Amino acid sequence: MSDSSSSAELAVRLRALLSGMAPGDRLPSSRDLVQRYRVGPVTVSQAIAALAAEGAVITRPGSGTFVAPRARAGAAVADTAWQTVALTDRAVDTRSLTDALGPPSAGTIMLDGGYLHRSLQATRALTAALGRAGRRPDAWDRAPAAGLSPLRAVFATMAGGGVTPDDVLITAGGQSALSMAFRAIAGPGNPVLMESPTYPGAMAAARAAGLSPVPVPMDADGLRPDLLAEAFELTRARVLYCQPAHHNPTGAVLAPERRRQVVEVARAAGAFVIEDDFARHLGHGGPVPPPLVAADRDGTVVHLTSLTKPAAPSLRIGALIARGPVMARLRAVRLVDDFFVTRPLQEAALELVSSPAWERHLRTLATALRERRGELAAAIARELPGWTITRVPTGGLHLWVRLPDGLSDPAVAGAARQFGVAVSAGSRYFATEVPAAWLRLGFAATADTAELVEGVRRLARVG
Ligand SMILES: Cc1ncc(COP(=O)(O)O)c(C=O)c1O
């Protein structure tokens, strides 16, 4: 049994089992259920997901599945149903983000994380930087709305080309920059072109701004400029969101000859290119092409980057780089939203990136990421020969892995959780139809390479 009808049958049998148990009791482990009911792990995972959705059980990844507390008869429950009517349809869809930001569960190996494990973070340098920042007499004063000028100068230098500090606006990380850019550039109901697949947080931010993500296919060299031109013509979109360097999730780097084409196609359509350069400091030691904004002369490219990925997730400092009226719009959004980014954190970021420890950290990080990438790829080749790594990335934190035909990525991800390993289902990365089953496997959020290998061994039990 391995399809949805068998999981429905198993759910019926499990409901019978639950009726004889007390709230808080632990269900037999997935492995026991597999043996007891002679079904596959995917079937077990689907049945448990169905029971969890109806509130009959609670799953605590890493510790097991438990009988849910039953509602107390007569208990006073606030009647907030009126709010559903008052709030109309303005729900913000966060499903694609909660996986990535959920608390790590004890015992679960995190192959789905989008940030560095603590052992890889710049913790010591950050602590020292925060200490120095906190001792500044003006640390708690207001900061300029655009951000501290020396920090803006640092981001201008990182971008290179003709970028000046005046072109830089400090943001509270990359996600905030993305939301600001979508809101400043396009209005509700407008399309936004995006590589397919793409970062789910970008789709969520676009949708929250009322925009509709429209997928544009990629190949081994990144976004396809021919289809991009068609998409602009068809949709009349005024904005493209893309990640030219170490794209999340595929790891692709936009080919040199396509870099100019993409910007020219957008320019010809009268559209902006939002360049998400989140992985600028996540290279594995080789050269990383300069950002598109470095060669931009007429304000087509709106660039964003962030320090959360190479330093630590709570160093929520990033930057937007733009020129012309769009910069005035971005500054206005910044001001209206929250005045300015908290000054002590800006000071700490400045202390960090200006210290010699920063360059050392980036070098150590590149080596560690390269080693981890190699270990994960080797473990997959050994333990999961039917799974295909289409590209060994030269930067970033993930491998994009194609599953053998017949496997469903959400089902495999669900079953993997039961076996104590968290992975990211590929379908989350597509705005519309999902062409095949993929998983995004991260190599940066585990404690060490041994955990990576153990994670793959656990996956092999599912696959
Ligand atoms: C492609 C991409 N852009 C932006 C972000 C936002 O990161 P942050 O807000 O932590 O800077 C992420 C985080 O996962 C990402 O993967």
Side-chain angles (χ1 to χ4, degrees):
M1 287 203 291
S2 68
D3 57 11
S4 57
S5 68
S6 54
S7 70
E9 268 169 47
L10 178 61
V12 172
R13 298 169 79 178
L14 291 181
R15 273 187 213 101
L17 178 72
L18 294 179
S19 64
M21 297 172 74
D25 281 356
R26 192 171 184 279
L27 262 71
S29 71
S30 295
R31 206 168 315 155
D32 290 346
L33 293 175
V34 163
Q35 278 163 10
R36 189 186 298 188
Y37 295 105
R38 299 191 178 288
V39 292
V42 172
T43 306
V44 169
S45 148
Q46 284 172 338
I48 288 185
L51 294 177
E54 69 196 40
V57 298
I58 294 172
T59 54
R60 297 200 189 99
S63 25
T65 303
F66 300 84
V67 181
R70 298 184 180 122
R72 264 186 301 135
V77 178
D79 181 3
T80 57
W82 67 272
Q83 294 189 0
T84 306
V85 178
L87 292 169
T88 64
D89 60 351
R90 288 171 39 252
V92 176
D93 184 354
T94 59
R95 275 167 304 177
S96 52
L97 290 180
T98 37
D99 273 15
L101 297 178
S105 30
T108 298
I109 294 180
M110 306 299 287
L111 299 187
D112 68 342
Y115 292 104
L116 301 180
H117 185 266
R118 196 175 301 147
S119 57
L120 294 177
Q121 292 169 15
T123 317
R124 199 173 309 156
L126 255 175
T127 307
L130 199 58
R132 287 194 299 275
R135 285 192 292 276
R136 292 179 61 98
D138 53 358
W140 294 96
D141 286 356
R142 281 187 296 153
L148 298 178
S149 27
L151 186 58
R152 290 159 63 198
V154 167
F155 279 110
T157 309
M158 277 180 195
V163 175
T164 72
D166 286 344
D167 303 328
V168 180
L169 180 62
I170 300 299
T171 67
Q175 191 66 22
S176 158
L178 259 178
S179 297
M180 287 169 63
F182 286 135
R183 279 185 293 137
I185 295 175
N190 286 331
V192 46
L193 306 185
M194 295 188 171
E195 291 143 332
S196 184
T198 193
Y199 165 52
M203 290 192 273
R207 289 188 174 123
L211 314 182
S212 310
V214 176
V216 183
M218 306 172 66
D219 60 19
D221 290 332
L223 188 64
R224 284 185 49 183
D226 55 335
L227 294 178
L228 178 65
E230 278 184 33
F232 272 124
E233 197 171 317
L234 206 68
T235 61
R236 305 265 158 230
R238 285 299 161 86
V239 53
L240 160 72
Y241 163 79
C242 63
Q243 306 164 48
H246 312 312
H247 171 265
N248 174 13
T250 64
V253 177
L254 189 63
E257 66 280 8
R258 290 194 182 175
R259 297 164 52 79
R260 221 189 54 233
Q261 286 170 354
V262 163
V263 178
E264 277 172 3
V265 166
R267 179 73 201 88
F272 288 95
V273 175
I274 300 181
E275 174 185 39
D276 185 342
D277 200 27
F278 80 108
R280 169 98 347 232
H281 299 296
L282 301 179
H284 299 168
V288 186
L292 300 180
V293 76
D296 179 56
R297 293 287 162 264
D298 55 13
T300 299
V301 180
V302 172
H303 169 100
L304 66 97
T305 188
S306 167
L307 295 178
T308 61
K309 301 283 178 182
S314 269
L315 184 64
R316 301 209 60 75
I317 295 289
L320 274 162
I321 296 178
R323 299 187 183 104
V326 72
M327 184 47 136
R329 298 259 172 117
L330 289 166
R331 283 172 194 245
V333 171
R334 153 93 292 140
L335 208 56
V336 169
D337 270 5
D338 46 15
F339 298 161
F340 54 85
V341 175
T342 182
R343 182 163 188 151
L345 210 52
Q346 289 196 55
E347 298 279 9
L350 179 59
E351 289 283 352
L352 177 74
V353 296
S354 326
S355 73
W358 177 241
E359 288 301 327
R360 278 201 303 275
H361 166 70
L362 292 181
R363 280 196 298 276
T364 315
L365 180 61
T367 309
L369 292 179
R370 191 171 57 241
E371 187 194 334
R372 281 164 172 255
R373 177 201 71 193
E375 288 283 345
L376 180 61
I380 291 171
R382 225 175 21 245
E383 306 276 343
L384 290 157
W387 294 25
T388 317
I389 302 166
T390 37
R391 169 191 298 100
V392 175
T394 55
L397 310 176
H398 314 105
L399 295 182
W400 183 237
V401 180
R402 171 99 189 248
L403 294 178
D405 288 345
L407 284 186
S408 128
D409 55 289
V412 170
R417 278 254 170 204
Q418 304 294 325
F419 281 90
V421 54
V423 297
S424 195
S427 28
R428 298 170 58 227
Y429 298 81
F430 293 90
T432 56
E433 290 80 9
V434 181
W438 305 81
L439 292 182
R440 193 194 72 169
L441 302 183
F443 44 80
T446 59
D448 49 30
T449 49
E451 248 193 34
L452 279 179
V453 173
E454 174 55 22
V456 174
R457 277 199 204 110
R458 292 185 191 183
L459 277 178
R461 289 188 217 143
V462 179

